[in-house]
Every structure is written in structure tokens, then in C-alpha cells.
């Protein structure tokens, strides 16, 4: 069931990617549903990227950034969180589950935590009715 | 600058019922700076509208565009083909930009994508506040450089009302009382005597209360016009 | 010169005045208001009729005045700048004067966002001070605001409100001086709960000799519960309510009676303050208590001058 899910993850190439790598090297593996897009900083994620991911058929979109106090570029994850919140409001307004978009902040040492959070996200999406955009081309 | 706030996407979508070719047009001036109608907001709105269209099978075709200043005909003319090609234009400019398009293309339906909210300034990232009402007769030299017409909920001219509480406005405890600010400023400048005179009521005829306003600068006119500076609608 | 109002006569004769507030009903039936008026008539020299107080739509102040004058009550009509522009305000003053209203309290008005028509367009063409000045000039120079001559001048005794408990505190006496300059002949203050605070303000007022230029009536509100005091402390802008008073109310067994006693004590103390020329009782939703308050404060009988 969950293998059919598609989750797009915008991941910061600094602490966030390190956390995922650390988890993988200690024997964990990313859920198959997750496709990663690496970015220099989550501050680069614009609201349109979140909307287009949903429109393109992703069941969920997650932005994985560094802890807010650890950002290499000062305010990246703060901006990303703000945009995620804004898009949750837009989705709510147009009757699409706002829970399809999430923000997670991680430290590079928190590999286990990020894997847990992603599995939780995957489980939540699996319990939702199918996305009306399922099977879209992108 | 002019501060605006995007309408709810659902509200815009409702206006567009039955349309097919939709142009979402933003503006790179005030509303871009206040992050309501610039490039990013145009793509965000288009994308959100397309989510609705895809889900509900509305078959909308979305075109995006941002003009330099939508309130000036010269800039709007640059997107003439896009406007002609659309059957609905959602303007993410202020009411001035939206009306410029509407007046230039009277046969086209123009929909406001944002509410023009006030004349204000950015206080900090993400915060804007009203500071002018365009009343037509500036008096801030008498009030320590602080405008009571726009910054006081009652446009008081003779000092604070009785609802000024802990320096805040009775209407909203998060808003500073303009007259407390004026008092503090004039005190700092040693000019508190300015607050002892009875101030005459404001001449509102210079504001919108006097009817729609227009400025004609004869020195700037290139073609002779009648004395009213008659408008030419293209 | 036309006949002075009872309130003006009492104040100018140096007697301690009593005014009280009546809130008109939220409908077209005045029966209850008239019945109330019959009960409390004689307990104050004049009764304020509020003008859509807190921006709640009510029977108009001038309409109420017509009804209550028939009952032998002298009204003080309240007029706010919130709902009427200078055309309507001047017109209503002429109308009020023509039907025999002699006292007007000039207010800016609570903002309409407090009321039950929140989508209203606020007018605020004038403010309380320019309203006072406009009415004063209409009366004294027979000229309306634009400078045009009136056929005849209104006969009116002009009042204003002042709130010693609003910010900036050190400006409040100066602001009252402005009101006096603009034409205020009597002042009704915001409700006093912190008497020490009020006395400090009165000291400033006396220093400016304002108490000799205007008649000051201290505002009081009888309350029925500690909750009401807390509400005013926390929710009503421009009010100062000492915690000690809330504590006293909390400890009281009979809250209503305690509220009455607190109010009577306040009136008794106000009578002792130099420059306080009267008391203004705002018994909101509890107007029937006014005769008791006035009697127990030894201010009865009220006699017309």
C-alpha cells in the first residue's frame, strides 16, 4: 500500500542531508516512497514548489531543513517554515488536506529521528483518501 | 507604498467560474515589495488555481505575467497580446493597476486578485502598517511628524481620546496610540505647547469627501487638452 | 437670554450637583425607560441620555429626551462625532434646542468596532473638542462652522467628558483645559475607582485654575460584582481599577450591597475634594439604584433652582 505513495522531499544539503546519510549508514533505509531533491538551503523552497509537487502527483511534500539556529544562510529554515504554513492555509482554503505539506528540522546527528518522522509522515499520508492529483505526469 | 493582500484563492476561483484562458498579471512595484502581487505571488496563485482546475476538471489555461508598473499604460501595452488572448485577467496589482488594464481593454473582464489595503510602510520583514490616508492636506509638521489622520482610529485632531490605554489604541491593544506617540515626540522636541491650542476641524473637501480628485500639471502636458485635462480612454 | 438649564443654575450657584445616566432601549418601545424615569426622577438634577453608547444601536438620545422631558426630567443629551458629520451634528443641535433640550455633552464617541454594527463607516468628521467649539460658536456668535450666519442661535449648556485615567496621563489636565477653551462649561469624568489617582489629577487641575473655569463632576459607577470590576480593569480601555478594591469586593458576602457602599463612600469622598462640583452616576443597567445612592450620600433632596 505505502509503496504506491509518492513523497517529494526538499532537503537541505547541509545538516539535513547528513542526518539522512548517517541513518542510512547505520543500517536504516529511506522509505521507497520518498524522492529527494537536494537544495543548498531550504530557504530556496518557494511556495510554488510545494504546490507544484502536489499538482504533479505527489501525495505529500516535506521540507527537511536544518535546525533554525544552525542555518548556514541565517534564516533559511525559518523562511521555509513560513512558506509551508502559508501553503497549508492555501490548501485548507481550496479543500485539499493541509497535512500533505510538512516541515521537519533536523540536526546532522539526528538520523534516527528523521527516519522516524518520515515514516510517520508516510503513514499519515497512507491513511488519507487518495490525492486527486495521483497519476499526474510529473 | 501601496499595501495589498491577496484575496483567498477560493474566492478568486469562484470569480473565474466559466472562464478558460486566464491571465494572472502581477506588478513589480508596490505590491511586489509588500509580497502580495509580484512574481512569486503570481506563480503561487497560478499554481493554486491550477490545482483547483485539475482536480475539478475546469480546463483552465493559465498564463502568468508581471509588468513593471501596472498603473501605467506604457507598461501594460507591453503585454497587449497576452491580454487580448485571455478571456479573464486576474490582476495581482493594486486597484490602480487592475483599473488601468480594465480601462485600456474595456471589452475584457478584469478580476481583482488582491485587496488594496492601505498606504503604508514596511515596519520589519513581514509587517506593514498604515501611515497615510491621502487626505489631501498634510499636517504632520504640527504633530511631530506623525500622522493622526491615518494613525488614529478616529482621526482625532485635538489629542488622544479617552480610550488611549497604556499608550495603546482602544480599537486594538497591539496598535500604538498615535497621540501618545505625538505627545512623546513633541515632548522630545520641546514643543509640547503645540498641543494646547484648539485645532480647527479638518477640511475634508481636499480628501475624497470633496469628490474624485485629479491633478492636472499644465507644464507637463504635451498635447493641449481642455481645462479639465480630459481623460483619454484607449 | 433664554432660560438656563436646571443643571447650569445649580452649578453656577455653587451647589453640589448630581447627574445620572440613562441608557435608552434597544428598540422602539420606550415604556420601560419611561417607567424607570418616573422611579428615579428627582434623584438627580439632570439625566444624561447616552448616544448609542459603546456603538450599540439604541433609541436616539434626542428622541429619548423628548419622551423624558414630558415626564419632567431634565436631559443632558450626549452627542458623539462617530456617527454624524458636521452637517448632521449642527442640525441635531438646532433640533434639540428647538424642542427645549438645554444641556449637551460633546463626545468623540467609542469606536464602532466595539458595537453591534462593526461594518459601519466611522464618521469622525469632528472630534469632541472641535464639536464643543462649533456648538459654542453657534450659540455665542450665531454662526455655523463654515462661518455662515444662522437665523437664530441655539440655547445650550455645553459639557464634555475627561478621562484622567487615559494616556498620556500628564496630558489629561492640559486636554481638559483645551476643552474649556473650546467651550466646555461642565465636565463629567470617566468613572473613578482609584481615588488617589483622581486626587493627583485634581491637584494638577487646580494648579491650572481649571476648577474655577469649569464645573467638574466626578464620575462613579456602582458595581454588583468583583467580576465587573475585573472586566473594567482588564477590558475597558482607559480605566484604572485598584486590586485592593477588587479584593474588597471578593471578600464581601453581599456583593451588591458592598458595591453600593463602595459607591457611596466614593461620592462622600468626592464631595470633600476642592474643585469637584458634583457627581455623575453611571449606573449602567442598574439605574434604579440611583435614588438610594443619592439619598445615602446625603445629597437629597434635589431641588430645582
Amino acid at each position: 500500500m505505502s509503496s504506491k505513495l509518492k513523497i517529494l522531499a526538499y532537503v537541505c544539503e547541509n545538516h539535513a542531508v547528513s542526518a539522512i546519510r548517517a541513518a542510512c549508514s547505520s543500517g536504516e533505509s529511506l522509505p521507497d516512497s520518498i524522492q529527494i531533491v537536494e537544495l543548498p538551503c531550504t530557504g530556496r523552497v518557494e511556495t510554488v514548489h510545494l504546490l507544484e509537487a502536489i499538482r504533479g502527483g505527489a501525495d505529500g511534500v516535506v521540507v527537511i531543513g536544518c535546525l533554525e539556529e544552525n542555518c548556514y544562510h541565517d534564516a533559511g529554515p525559518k523562511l521555509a517554515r513560513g512558506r509551508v504554513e502559508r501553503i497549508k492555509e492555501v490548501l485548507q482554503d481550496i479543500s485539499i488536506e493541509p497535512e500533505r505539506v510538512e516541515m521537519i528540522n533536523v540536526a546532522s546527528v539526528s538520523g534516527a529521528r528523521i527516519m522516524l518522522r518520515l515514516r510517520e509522515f508516510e503513514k499519515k499520508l497512507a491513511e488519507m483518501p487518495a490525492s486527486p492529483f495521483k497519476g499526474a505526469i510529473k | 507604498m501601496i499595501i495589498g493582500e491577496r484575496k483567498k484563492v477560493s474566492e478568486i476561483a469562484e470569480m473565474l467560474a466559466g472562464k478558460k484562458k486566464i491571465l494572472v498579471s502581477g506588478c513589480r512595484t508596490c505590491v511586489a515589495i509588500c509580497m502580495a502581487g509580484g512574481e512569486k505571488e503570481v506563480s503561487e496563485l497560478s499554481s493554486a488555481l491550477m490545482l483547483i482546475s485539475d482536480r475539478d476538471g475546469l480546463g483552465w489555461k493559465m498564463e502568468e505575467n508581471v509588468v513593471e508598473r501596472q498603473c501605467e499604460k506604457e507598461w501594460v501595452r507591453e503585454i497587449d497580446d497576452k491580454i487580448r488572448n485571455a478571456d479573464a485577467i486576474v490582476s495581482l496589482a493594486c486597484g490602480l493597476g487592475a483599473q488601468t488594464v480594465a480601462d485600456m481593454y474595456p471589452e475584457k473582464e478584469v478580476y481583482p486578485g488582491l485587496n488594496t489595503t492601505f498606504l503604508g510602510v514596511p515596519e520589519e520583514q513581514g509587517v506593514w502598517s498604515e501611515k497615510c490616508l491621502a487626505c489631501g492636506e498634510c499636517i504632520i509638521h504640527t504633530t511631530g511628524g506623525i500622522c493622526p489622520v491615518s494613525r488614529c482610529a478616529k482621526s482625532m485632531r485635538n489629542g488622544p481620546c479617552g480610550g488611549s490605554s497604556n499608550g495603546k489604541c482602544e480599537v486594538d491593544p497591539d496598535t500604538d496610540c498615535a497621540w501618545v506617540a505625538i505627545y512623546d515626540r513633541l515632548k522630545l522636541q520641546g514643543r509640547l505647547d503645540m498641543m494646547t491650542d484648539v485645532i480647527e476641524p479638518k477640511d475634508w473637501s481636499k480628501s475624497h469627501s470633496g469628490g474624485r480628485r485629479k491633478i492636472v500639471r499644465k507644464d507637463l502636458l504635451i498635447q493641449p487638452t481642455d481645462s479639465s485635462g480630459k481623460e483619454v480612454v484607449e | 437670554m433664554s432660560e438656563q438649564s436646571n443643571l447650569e443654575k445649580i452649578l453656577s450657584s455653587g451647589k453640589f450637583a448630581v447627574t445620572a445616566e440613562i441608557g435608552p432601549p434597544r428598540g422602539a418601545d420606550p415604556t420601560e425607560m419611561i417607567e424607570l424615569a418616573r422611579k428615579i426622577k428627582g434623584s438627580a438634577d439632570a439625566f444624561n441620555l447616552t448616544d448609542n453608547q459603546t456603538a450599540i444601536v439604541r433609541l436616539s438620545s434626542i428622541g429619548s429626551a423628548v419622551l423624558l422631558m414630558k415626564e419632567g426630567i431634565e436631559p443632558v443629551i450626549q452627542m458623539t462625532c462617530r456617527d454624524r458629520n458636521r452637517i448632521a451634528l449642527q442640525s441635531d443641535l438646532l433640533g434639540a434646542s428647538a424642542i427645549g433640550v438645554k444641556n449637551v455633552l460633546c463626545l468623540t464617541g467609542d469606536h464602532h468596532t466595539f458595537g453591534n454594527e462593526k461594518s459601519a463607516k466611522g464618521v469622525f468628521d469632528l472630534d469632541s473638542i472641535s464639536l464643543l467649539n462649533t456648538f459654542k460658536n453657534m450659540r455665542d456668535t450665531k454662526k455655523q462652522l463654515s462661518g455662515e450666519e444662522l437665523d437664530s442661535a441655539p440655547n445650550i449648556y455645553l459639557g464634555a467628558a475627561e478621562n484622567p485615567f487615559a494616556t498620556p496621563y500628564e496630558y489629561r489636565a492640559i486636554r481638559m483645559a483645551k476643552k474649556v477653551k473650546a467651550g466646555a462649561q461642565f465636565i463629567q469624568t470617566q468613572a473613578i475607582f482609584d481615588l488617589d489617582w483622581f486626587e493627583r489629577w485634581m491637584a494638577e487641575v487646580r494648579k491650572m485654575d481649571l476648577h474655577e473655569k469649569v464645573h467638574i463632576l466626578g464620575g462613579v459607577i456602582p458595581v454588583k460584582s468583583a467580576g465587573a470590576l475585573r472586566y473594567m480593569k482588564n477590558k475597558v480601555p482607559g480605566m484604572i481599577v485598584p486590586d485592593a478594591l477588587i479584593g474588597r469586593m471578593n471578600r464581601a458576602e453581599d456583593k451588591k450591597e458592598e458595591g453600593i457602599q463602595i459607591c457611596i463612600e466614593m461620592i462622600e469622598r468626592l464631595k470633600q475634594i476642592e474643585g469637584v462640583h458634583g457627581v455623575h452616576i453611571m449606573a449602567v443597567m442598574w439605574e434604579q439604584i440611583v435614588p438610594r445612592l443619592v439619598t445615602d450620600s446625603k445629597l437629597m433632596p434635589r431641588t430645582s433652582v
Side-chain angles (χ1 to χ4, degrees):
Chain A
M1 175 70 188
S2 69
S3 63
K4 290 180 194 164
L5 281 175
K6 264 189 177 175
I7 298 172
L8 190 68
Y10 292 112
V11 186
C12 168
E13 67 182 15
N14 298 304
H15 299 285
V17 160
S18 310
I20 292 173
R21 288 210 187 102
C24 291
S25 63
S26 65
E28 293 208 53
S29 60
L30 268 180
D32 290 343
S33 59
I34 293 182
Q35 187 187 332
I36 285 182
V37 177
E38 277 190 45
L39 300 164
C41 176
T42 50
R44 183 65 191 86
V45 180
E46 298 293 350
T47 53
V48 67
H49 300 136
L50 306 172
L51 291 171
E52 284 301 314
I54 299 289
R55 194 177 156 222
D59 297 275
V61 197
V62 58
V63 180
I64 309 172
C66 307
L67 296 177
E68 290 186 358
E69 62 274 23
N70 288 349
C71 179
Y72 283 23
H73 308 279
D74 199 24
K78 282 189 196 134
L79 292 170
R81 180 168 294 280
R83 289 166 191 163
V84 165
E85 294 302 324
R86 178 177 166 91
I87 285 312
K88 279 176 176 288
E89 281 175 27
V90 169
L91 293 177
Q92 179 88 49
D93 171 40
I94 61 177
S95 309
I96 295 172
E97 301 89 341
E99 298 80 12
R100 292 192 185 278
V101 182
E102 289 300 345
M103 172 89 200
I104 302 175
N105 300 85
V106 284
S108 51
V109 295
S110 308
R113 188 173 156 269
I114 183 64
M115 288 304 185
L116 180 67
R117 291 289 303 273
L118 287 173
R119 279 193 297 272
E120 281 170 3
F121 185 48
E122 188 184 41
K123 183 162 175 280
K124 194 166 63 177
L125 291 171
E127 286 164 0
M128 279 185 208
S131 159
F133 309 99
K134 197 85 185 148
I137 301 154
K138 278 185 242 176
Chain B
M1 70 175 97
I2 295 167
I3 310 295
E5 200 173 18
R6 197 201 62 224
K7 285 178 186 281
K8 279 182 153 185
V9 177
S10 57
E11 195 185 336
I12 300 169
E14 215 167 289
M15 296 182 212
L16 294 171
K19 304 296 164 218
K20 287 288 173 218
K21 289 185 283 183
I22 297 160
L23 171 64
V24 179
S25 182
C27 174
R28 258 187 252 282
T29 310
C30 310
V31 294
I33 309 300
C34 71
M35 297 175 205
E39 199 154 353
K40 287 180 184 178
E41 294 76 28
V42 165
S43 0
E44 178 189 282
L45 177 62
S46 306
S47 186
L49 288 172
M50 280 312 291
L51 273 176
I52 297 174
S53 173
D54 289 359
R55 180 190 60 196
D56 302 344
L58 303 176
W60 285 344
K61 295 218 166 11
M62 215 54 73
E63 176 87 50
E64 297 176 25
N65 150 273
V66 189
V67 292
E68 195 61 32
R69 268 195 297 286
Q70 213 180 97
C71 57
E72 292 195 73
K73 293 174 190 158
E74 292 82 343
W75 294 106
V76 174
R77 252 180 231 122
E78 292 193 347
I79 55 159
D80 181 80
D81 53 333
K82 288 188 173 157
I83 292 172
R84 290 193 190 282
N85 197 35
D87 44 44
I89 297 123
V90 177
S91 172
L92 271 186
C94 67
L96 313 174
Q99 289 184 73
T100 302
V101 175
D103 286 345
M104 287 173 71
Y105 299 89
E107 74 287 2
K108 291 289 176 188
E109 293 177 26
V110 174
Y111 296 88
L114 59 76
N115 296 315
T116 307
T117 322
F118 53 78
L119 300 182
V121 298
E123 299 286 2
E124 57 180 287
Q125 173 93 346
V127 180
W128 295 270
S129 71
E130 181 169 27
K131 285 197 173 168
C132 177
L133 221 60
C135 73
E137 188 177 40
C138 195
I139 47 92
I140 65 165
H141 59 293
T142 66
T143 52
I146 293 163
C147 168
V149 181
S150 58
R151 289 163 75 168
C152 165
K154 302 176 185 174
S155 294
M156 305 279 291
R157 289 290 288 112
N158 274 290
C161 74
S164 173
S165 217
N166 298 314
K168 301 293 178 182
C169 176
E170 72 172 22
V171 173
D172 172 18
D174 291 330
T175 299
D176 292 334
C177 168
W179 277 100
V180 168
I182 292 168
Y183 181 88
D184 290 345
R185 182 78 57 81
L186 290 175
K187 191 175 180 183
L188 179 80
Q189 297 179 353
R191 300 200 294 165
L192 274 181
D193 55 308
M194 295 177 81
M195 281 182 71
T196 57
D197 294 331
V198 174
I199 309 294
E200 297 265 298
K202 193 169 169 54
D203 177 2
W204 290 106
S205 73
K206 290 169 173 141
S207 76
H208 176 71
S209 290
R212 184 191 175 196
R213 293 165 286 177
K214 175 185 273 185
I215 292 171
V216 179
R217 282 271 305 271
K218 292 238 166 62
D219 58 319
L220 297 175
L221 294 175
I222 294 166
Q223 289 181 341
T225 58
D226 63 19
S227 58
S228 68
K230 191 169 175 285
E231 269 177 325
V232 183
V233 176
E234 290 181 39
Chain C
M1 181 71 194
S2 324
E3 177 84 348
Q4 287 183 329
S5 74
N6 187 44
L7 180 63
E8 180 172 7
K9 284 181 202 162
I10 285 175
L11 284 169
S12 50
S13 69
K15 294 201 176 83
F16 196 82
V18 177
T19 55
E21 196 171 275
I22 293 177
R26 293 180 56 190
D29 181 359
T31 315
E32 273 185 41
M33 177 176 67
I34 291 170
E35 278 166 12
L36 170 73
R38 285 177 186 155
K39 276 186 211 142
I40 66 177
K41 179 185 160 184
S43 61
D45 306 312
F47 287 87
N48 281 43
L49 301 174
T50 54
D51 175 13
N52 300 301
Q53 194 173 18
T54 61
I56 304 284
V57 176
R58 289 177 182 276
L59 200 154
S60 72
S61 176
I62 295 175
S64 303
V66 173
L67 294 163
L68 297 193
M69 280 191 297
K70 282 190 201 151
E71 302 299 322
I73 275 191
E74 174 167 301
V76 177
I77 57 160
Q78 301 196 174
M79 289 178 84
T80 74
C81 301
R82 178 190 60 227
D83 313 319
R84 283 169 283 187
N85 68 9
R86 63 189 77 181
I87 301 171
L89 287 164
Q90 293 182 102
S91 160
D92 278 350
L93 180 75
L94 297 177
S97 181
I99 59 172
V101 170
K102 290 175 187 154
N103 310 300
V104 176
L105 188 78
C106 298
L107 303 167
T108 300
D110 298 319
H111 199 268
H112 45 281
T113 48
F114 290 107
N116 61 359
E117 288 292 355
K118 295 186 198 307
S119 304
K121 183 174 186 192
V123 179
F124 303 112
D125 178 13
L126 307 184
D127 58 25
S128 55
I129 291 179
S130 51
L131 179 65
L132 279 166
N133 211 25
T134 302
F135 285 178
K136 176 181 191 282
N137 288 334
M138 287 171 79
R139 182 192 62 199
D140 297 348
T141 69
K142 224 174 88 176
K143 279 184 179 146
Q144 67 179 76
L145 186 53
S146 66
E148 276 196 41
E149 187 111 358
L150 298 163
D151 293 341
S152 59
N155 169 37
I156 218 79
Y157 186 50
L158 288 172
E162 189 47 66
N163 183 2
F165 310 103
T167 45
Y169 304 122
E170 62 268 38
Y171 181 61
R172 289 291 153 178
I174 302 169
R175 179 161 158 80
M176 189 169 84
K178 263 178 91 154
K179 291 196 171 183
V180 174
K181 220 193 272 186
Q185 295 163 289
F186 68 97
I187 296 284
Q188 292 170 326
T189 75
Q190 170 68 294
I192 303 156
F193 291 103
D194 189 331
L195 199 75
D196 295 340
W197 188 293
F198 180 74
E199 292 209 57
R200 284 198 297 275
W201 179 75
M202 277 305 297
E204 283 177 58
V205 166
R206 287 192 298 269
K207 220 190 295 172
M208 296 167 75
D209 289 329
L210 285 173
H211 64 307
E212 292 177 354
K213 296 176 186 154
V214 70
H215 299 296
I216 299 165
L217 286 75
V220 293
I221 297 183
V223 291
K224 293 177 185 170
S225 67
L229 285 173
R230 270 195 302 273
Y231 178 81
M232 284 189 273
K233 178 189 170 83
N234 300 322
K235 300 280 180 205
V236 180
M239 276 219 161
I240 292 177
V241 181
D243 289 330
L245 199 64
I246 299 173
R248 176 176 164 186
M249 200 63 167
N250 263 331
R251 288 189 301 276
E253 264 182 41
D254 184 344
K255 313 275 185 203
K256 271 192 181 181
E257 187 54 32
E258 193 72 6
I260 292 169
Q261 289 311 318
I262 290 171
C263 193
I264 292 166
E265 284 168 33
M266 187 64 76
I267 296 172
E268 292 281 10
R269 290 178 66 186
L270 285 171
K271 280 157 70 178
Q272 309 304 317
I273 299 174
E274 188 195 347
V276 174
H277 308 116
V279 63
H280 176 53
I281 306 168
M282 294 168 273
V284 186
M285 312 284 282
W286 198 16
E287 288 102 336
Q288 322 81 270
I289 202 65
V290 172
R292 159 97 196 268
L293 294 171
V294 179
T295 306
D296 288 6
S297 311
K298 300 174 209 69
L299 288 167
M300 286 294 255
R302 309 306 308 162
T303 44
S304 302
V305 180

